[in-house]
Amino acid sequence: MLDVAVIEDALAAEASLDPIRARLLAALAEPGSATTLAARTGLTRQKVNYHLRTLEQHGLVELVEERRRGNFTERVLRATAGSYVISPNALADVAPDPDRARDQTSARRMLALAARLIREVGELLGGATVARKRLATFAVDSEIRFATAADRAAFAAELSDAVTALVGKYHDQAAAGGRPHRLMIALHPSLKSPNATNSSAP
């Protein structure tokens, strides 16, 4: 089972978004059959079977084993991943395009860039999985508490200058056998946790 899988197909995305099927996918983090899932969810075995067939048809669950139970065969299934991300490819006609918004301070441009990141890394990961190769990636996640909006603006300017310098140092357009890599950095206010108390204005 994969930790995370990217759903590229629109019909698979639709199947995963059904509330009952989403519950079954979560339950199938551990292998289970229609009978065991029916007992856990309160649904009939026939209804569970119907939804499992749909999930299996779209590659969201996979067969683990078949067990003979009296006069019928019990199929034990498992989700293909622990969690799923839906790629913008599933909504290709309305997928966001970063080129439509050039403003580096635009939240909508950030969303478009994030969508492109999911789409591109998803496609690369799919290819690497088929080829049984490790995908070379690097990610940093951090949180900064700025005292003032001016400090935030100064940080963004310094970060931009530092990244520009690093890109200029390592980018080699003429390198034989070189491979382009995409770099994206995002800075946005953190979401408040439900129990957080913060008297200062964002």
Side-chain angles (χ1 to χ4, degrees):
M1 176 191 287
L2 302 173
D3 291 333
V4 182
V6 180
I7 298 174
E8 304 273 353
D9 180 71
L11 293 177
E14 181 182 0
S16 71
L17 291 171
D18 177 273
I20 292 176
R21 292 172 191 155
R23 284 173 61 198
L24 294 176
L25 277 176
L28 286 174
E30 298 293 333
S33 67
T35 301
T36 60
L37 290 170
R40 291 173 61 181
T41 60
L43 301 170
T44 65
R45 189 167 62 86
Q46 290 76 13
K47 192 167 188 177
V48 170
N49 258 325
Y50 166 76
H51 289 299
L52 289 179
R53 282 195 298 270
T54 301
L55 292 171
E56 189 174 12
Q57 177 186 348
H58 293 294
L60 299 173
V61 300
E62 60 189 359
L63 181 67
V64 175
E65 63 174 315
E66 292 183 326
R67 300 169 180 163
R68 193 67 184 171
R69 299 287 188 187
N71 60 354
F72 76 97
T73 300
E74 182 181 54
R75 304 179 78 244
V76 178
L77 301 165
R78 176 180 61 187
T80 54
S83 57
Y84 298 87
V85 177
I86 297 177
S87 168
N89 283 344
L91 294 170
D93 292 337
V94 291
D97 181 2
D99 291 334
R100 294 178 191 158
R102 292 290 186 178
D103 181 5
Q104 286 185 310
T105 63
S106 166
R108 287 177 173 80
R109 175 172 171 77
M110 183 182 291
L111 285 176
L113 288 170
R116 184 177 68 187
L117 177 71
I118 291 171
R119 176 177 57 81
E120 292 186 351
V121 174
E123 290 181 13
L124 289 166
L125 185 58
T129 301
V130 171
R132 298 181 180 273
K133 291 185 177 180
R134 188 174 183 274
L135 183 61
T137 59
F138 174 75
V140 175
D141 180 29
S142 185
E143 188 173 57
I144 308 169
R145 184 179 175 91
F146 295 108
T148 65
D151 284 351
R152 184 187 64 224
F155 173 84
E158 287 186 43
L159 180 63
S160 179
D161 290 343
V163 170
T164 299
L166 278 172
V167 169
K169 177 179 178 181
Y170 288 100
H171 178 67
D172 188 346
Q173 187 66 38
R179 181 173 183 178
H181 285 66
R182 189 181 296 283
L183 172 67
M184 186 183 81
I185 298 174
L187 176 68
H188 62 82
S190 298
L191 290 175
K192 294 180 181 178
S193 63
N195 299 324
T197 55
N198 187 352
S199 59
S200 61

